[in-house]
């Protein structure tokens, strides 16, 4: 790996960031508390302002602090959201509190719902559905908020021929949502695959999630199969990586 | 969110990065191919050299390109590793090829194995094990390589009183590994919880994984419970986020 032109600065900044993170974890700084600003931090650690700034930027990238121009940074009070991938297991079989990270399941609000029909799917979606070249999909696009903060955007794809005329093509899909409607249509999801990747946000992802461009997103693609093994839905989620703990619980 | 002092530069850099990513995805640039360097890219897009450099840095952060001083960047030839979280399901029940991202399961090599006994556990490990203040743990630390590239470091914690005198305290745990040994000890894992988070690397994580300090790591904490609900192992993994696709397959 080639050395950065900025030399050893990133490591020094990272060390300061690591120290500040430890202080936040220990509770020296609680939610809403102010951290030393760029100038104070630079003096304290006897480093350049740029280095102090880089350290604070790392904390902002991780979603630990908020920075506003002219004000010293403030510890975020946002609590991590726990997303359970596998819902069917009785949660009470598991020791409560036996989790590595503190995070609660919280129901997000939905805004920016859009439904489009007869859309030509992206190639990878077409492949997974095994659609003919002429076939199209219905796309349901949503944004999710927790405490007013955008935390996820999601695009759900369904074969047009499967869902045409059903409530799935409407903004309000009725009680039980699209999985209940797929069940009505004789294609109840029987199995799921969730694939998780991490990458930098695109311009539009960063804008819709209102995150700094340096903060990674979690890409979570959920594929639903009916009992015959047919793919009936693909849901591509893009999550603010600083907002979520993904949780999968399963038998050995 | 306060605007960066660098103004609109990150967005322009991001746009160029998005275009280059699309070109790599389309196959315009294949593994090992050279991309335009900083200077050529700046001329092509009529932007400052710093902006072109920032665009390339985004690709490097995502693990899409390698950059070496004095040479134009090269498309990485590393293939993503697919990690199946849930092993027990018959994989062949699932349509092969029906995955969103192309990634193969590949067995990593292990280097840097270290086993320590009678270690005072970090507070969150003590809590999850429900250990008394005087109790200690055995820690197994490993680094994993694929194609010679470090992709994961892992620290596995086990209650000292449970594993003392067993092969679990040795570098070579014997056939079947620590889960087979826990079974010999009458504490076969019956259930697992996997918790997934994403954050920036610490200084030492970035060094051990040999990743740029701007690239996120995936923190995956796997907790193993025996049939009585006792926590018998906690494995904290730190993964290069550019190397992995996590895959969970389960029944509805």
């Amino acid at each position: 790996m080639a050395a950065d032109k900025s030399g050893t600065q990133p490591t020094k900044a990272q060390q300061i960031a690591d120290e500040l993170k430890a202080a936040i974890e220990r509770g020296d700084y609680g939610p809403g508390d102010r951290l030393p600003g760029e100038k104070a931090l630079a003096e304290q650690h006897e480093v350049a302002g740029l280095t102090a700034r880089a350290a604070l930027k790392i904390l902002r990238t991780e979603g630990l602090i908020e920075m506003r121009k002219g004000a010293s940074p403030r510890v975020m009070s946002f609590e991590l959201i726990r997303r359970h991938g596998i819902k069917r297991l009785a949660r009470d079989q598991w020791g409560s509190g036996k989790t590595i990270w503190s995070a609660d399941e919280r129901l997000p609000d939905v805004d920016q719902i859009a439904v489009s029909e007869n859309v030509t799917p992206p190639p990878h979606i077409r492949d997974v559905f095994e659609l003919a070249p002429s076939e199209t999909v219905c796309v349901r696009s949503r944004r999710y908020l927790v405490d007013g903060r955008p935390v996820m955007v999601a695009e759900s794809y369904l074969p047009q021929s499967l869902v045409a005329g059903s409530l799935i093509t409407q903004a309000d899909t009725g009680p039980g949502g699209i999985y209940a409607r797929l069940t009505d249509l004789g294609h109840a999801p029987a199995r799921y695959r969730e694939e998780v990747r991490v990458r930098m946000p695109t311009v539009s992802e960063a804008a819709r999630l209102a995150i700094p461009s340096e903060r990674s997103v979690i890409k979570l693609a959920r594929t639903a199969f009916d009992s015959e093994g047919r793919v009936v839905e693909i849901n591509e989620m893009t999550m603010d990586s600083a907002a979520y703990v993904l949780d999968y619980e399963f038998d050995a």
Side-chain angles (χ1 to χ4, degrees), chain A:
Chain A
M1 198 71 52
D4 261 64
K5 275 174 194 163
S6 43
T8 57
Q9 250 182 33
T11 301
K12 229 173 187 172
Q14 240 184 327
Q15 277 164 349
I16 297 171
D18 285 0
E19 276 177 41
L20 287 172
K21 272 185 249 178
I24 293 170
E25 251 170 56
R26 274 195 311 269
D28 297 357
Y29 300 100
D33 283 357
R34 296 208 175 273
L35 288 186
E38 194 176 314
K39 215 173 153 179
L41 207 58
E43 278 168 22
Q44 206 176 306
H45 290 270
E46 298 178 350
V47 295
L50 205 70
T51 305
R53 186 179 160 71
L56 290 173
K57 211 171 163 185
I58 291 171
L59 297 194
R60 191 190 71 155
T61 298
E62 289 199 26
L64 293 173
I65 61 168
E66 283 184 293
M67 281 161 80
R68 281 178 208 284
K69 254 185 180 162
S72 53
R74 196 195 274 274
V75 178
M76 289 284 274
S77 53
F78 188 83
E79 253 180 274
L80 286 170
I81 306 161
R82 183 175 296 275
R83 176 189 180 277
H84 288 278
I86 306 169
K87 301 277 180 192
R88 85 203 139 84
L89 289 170
R91 206 68 42 72
D92 50 22
Q93 289 179 4
W94 297 75
S96 69
K98 284 185 180 170
T99 58
I100 298 296
W101 293 297
S102 142
D104 283 326
E105 218 168 352
R106 281 183 288 167
L107 270 191
D109 303 311
V110 179
D111 79 341
Q112 301 185 352
I113 301 189
V115 185
S116 313
E117 293 193 74
N118 298 304
V119 175
T120 300
H124 70 287
I125 297 290
R126 179 184 299 286
D127 286 354
V128 172
F129 276 131
E130 296 179 335
L131 291 180
S134 63
E135 287 184 278
T136 59
V137 292
C138 169
V139 187
R140 300 181 53 82
S141 164
R142 288 140 300 167
R143 189 170 75 159
Y144 296 86
L145 311 175
V146 164
D147 300 344
R149 163 178 163 174
V151 292
M152 174 164 80
V153 293
E155 265 83 49
S156 172
Y157 298 89
L158 301 112
Q160 180 68 36
S161 58
L162 192 70
V163 301
S166 78
L167 276 181
I168 289 173
T169 63
Q170 306 299 311
D172 181 357
T173 53
I178 66 163
Y179 291 152
R181 295 298 81 70
L182 283 170
T183 304
D184 299 344
L185 292 167
H187 292 279
R191 293 192 194 114
Y192 297 103
R193 163 178 283 150
E194 294 202 349
E195 293 171 75
V196 180
R197 276 189 70 180
V198 175
R199 62 159 174 70
M200 303 298 279
T202 62
V203 176
S204 82
E205 286 166 349
R208 287 191 74 193
L209 290 171
I211 58 172
S213 59
E214 299 84 6
R215 186 184 302 164
S216 295
V217 289
I218 298 173
K219 299 292 289 187
L220 199 165
R222 182 179 173 101
T223 308
F225 300 75
D226 70 11
S227 59
E228 319 256 90
R230 176 178 175 181
V231 176
V232 291
E233 191 223 13
I234 301 165
N235 191 354
E236 289 197 321
M237 297 164 240
T238 306
M239 308 161 101
D240 177 348
S241 64
Y244 279 94
V245 173
L246 308 182
D247 190 325
Y248 294 92
E249 302 165 25
F250 48 93
D251 291 336

